[in-house]
């Protein structure tokens, strides 16, 4: 349990730093730089929600369902990931460019709120699908796929629940508090959408 928590927090830190790089350079270069997060997670075998959701065991060796256990495991990992993102977000507020980072992050959050929680959650399915695909490639010794998959989901506008966690934590506090109720509905939709996308291979291809 402790090792999973440490791994999850480190994973969140890696994603947070990658997100920081993207906020500082929101173009194709920034999207490629974001790949640092997933490359780190895969190389060090860290626990990331979207890197685990498509591979977590949903049944025991005896064939019995363990959905509750799987969901509990994933939520524990997600919580650790968010803690890691929070640590990097707090650090980013000390940066000379903190105001610009916050403004860019606010723009991302505004775009999610403008399309609504349901549509954002459906778009998040695309990100989950890409994540499971590129992680599978990486596990087979083909990490180059990560450099394509990450910029792909960013440019498609597919939300990644941990990247978004970092963005939302970096948004100026006053704006977040003003829209807290909307974010409280939006974020779970992204988490669920990512989970569905991560498991499309299992749900459809079996």
């Amino acid at each position: 349990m402790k090792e999973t928590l440490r791994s999850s927090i480190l994973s969140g830190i890696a994603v947070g730093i990658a997100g920081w790089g993207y906020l500082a350079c929101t173009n194709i270069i920034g999207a490629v730089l974001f790949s640092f997060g997933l490359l780190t997670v895969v190389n060090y075998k860290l626990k990331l929600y979207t890197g685990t959701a498509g591979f977590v065991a949903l049944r025991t060796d005896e064939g019995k369902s363990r959905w509750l256990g799987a969901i509990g495991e994933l939520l524990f990992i997600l919580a650790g990931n968010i803690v890691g993102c929070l640590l990097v977000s707090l650090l980013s507020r000390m940066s000379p460019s903190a105001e610009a980072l916050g403004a860019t992050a606010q723009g991302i959050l505004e775009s999610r709120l403008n399309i609504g929680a349901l549509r954002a959650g459906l778009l998040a399915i695309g990100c989950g699908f890409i994540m499971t695909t590129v992680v599978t490639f990486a596990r087979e010794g083909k990490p180059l796929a990560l450099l394509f998959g990450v910029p792909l989901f960013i440019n498609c506008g597919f939300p990644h629940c941990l990247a978004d966690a970092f963005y939302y934590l970096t948004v100026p506090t006053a704006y977040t508090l003003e829209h807290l109720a909307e974010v409280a509905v939006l974020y779970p939709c992204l988490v669920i959408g990512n989970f569905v996308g991560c498991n499309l291979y299992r749900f459809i291809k079996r």
Side-chain angles (χ1 to χ4, degrees):
M1 188 71 76
K2 289 182 180 179
E3 183 56 37
T4 298
L5 181 60
R6 293 192 196 100
S7 180
S8 300
I9 292 173
L10 278 172
S11 187
I13 289 173
V15 170
I17 291 173
W20 185 339
Y22 177 68
L23 290 180
C25 184
T26 54
N27 52 31
I28 188 62
I29 295 174
V32 172
L33 291 176
F34 200 105
S35 301
F36 165 84
L38 194 51
L39 284 165
T40 302
V41 167
V42 170
N43 184 68
Y44 286 96
K45 296 181 173 62
L46 302 177
K47 293 289 187 180
L48 181 68
Y49 173 80
T50 48
T52 306
F55 304 94
V56 67
L58 301 179
R59 291 187 175 277
T60 64
D61 293 338
E62 293 75 29
K64 295 181 180 179
S65 173
R66 65 172 302 271
W67 271 84
L68 287 178
I71 291 171
E73 180 183 342
L74 288 171
L75 290 178
F76 185 74
I77 290 171
L78 179 64
N81 293 161
I82 292 174
V83 170
C85 288
L86 174 61
L87 294 174
V88 179
S89 176
L90 292 173
L91 183 63
S92 74
R93 293 175 185 270
M94 301 178 191
S95 167
S97 57
E99 187 175 341
L101 294 174
T104 304
Q106 181 175 319
I108 294 173
L109 176 53
E110 286 175 346
S111 70
R112 304 285 194 250
L113 295 176
N114 285 338
I115 66 172
L118 178 59
R119 288 171 64 190
L122 290 173
L123 287 172
I125 294 174
C127 176
F129 179 78
I130 292 171
M131 286 292 292
T132 291
T133 302
V134 298
V135 170
T136 300
F137 269 80
R139 288 183 174 191
E140 295 174 353
K142 304 167 186 174
L144 187 62
L146 300 173
L147 293 176
F148 289 93
V150 175
L152 178 60
F153 78 67
I154 290 175
N155 280 276
C156 287
F158 297 155
H160 182 286
C161 65
L162 268 308
D164 273 43
F166 172 74
Y167 302 148
Y168 302 171
L169 291 167
T170 307
V171 169
T173 306
Y175 183 87
T176 303
L177 292 176
E178 182 183 350
H179 297 275
L180 191 58
E182 295 169 85
V183 174
V185 175
L186 168 68
Y187 192 71
C189 290
L190 303 187
V191 173
I192 294 169
N194 282 168
F195 176 82
V196 172
C198 285
N199 285 279
L200 279 182
Y201 286 108
R202 291 203 283 197
F203 293 159
I204 298 175
K205 191 169 182 288
R206 292 194 178 275

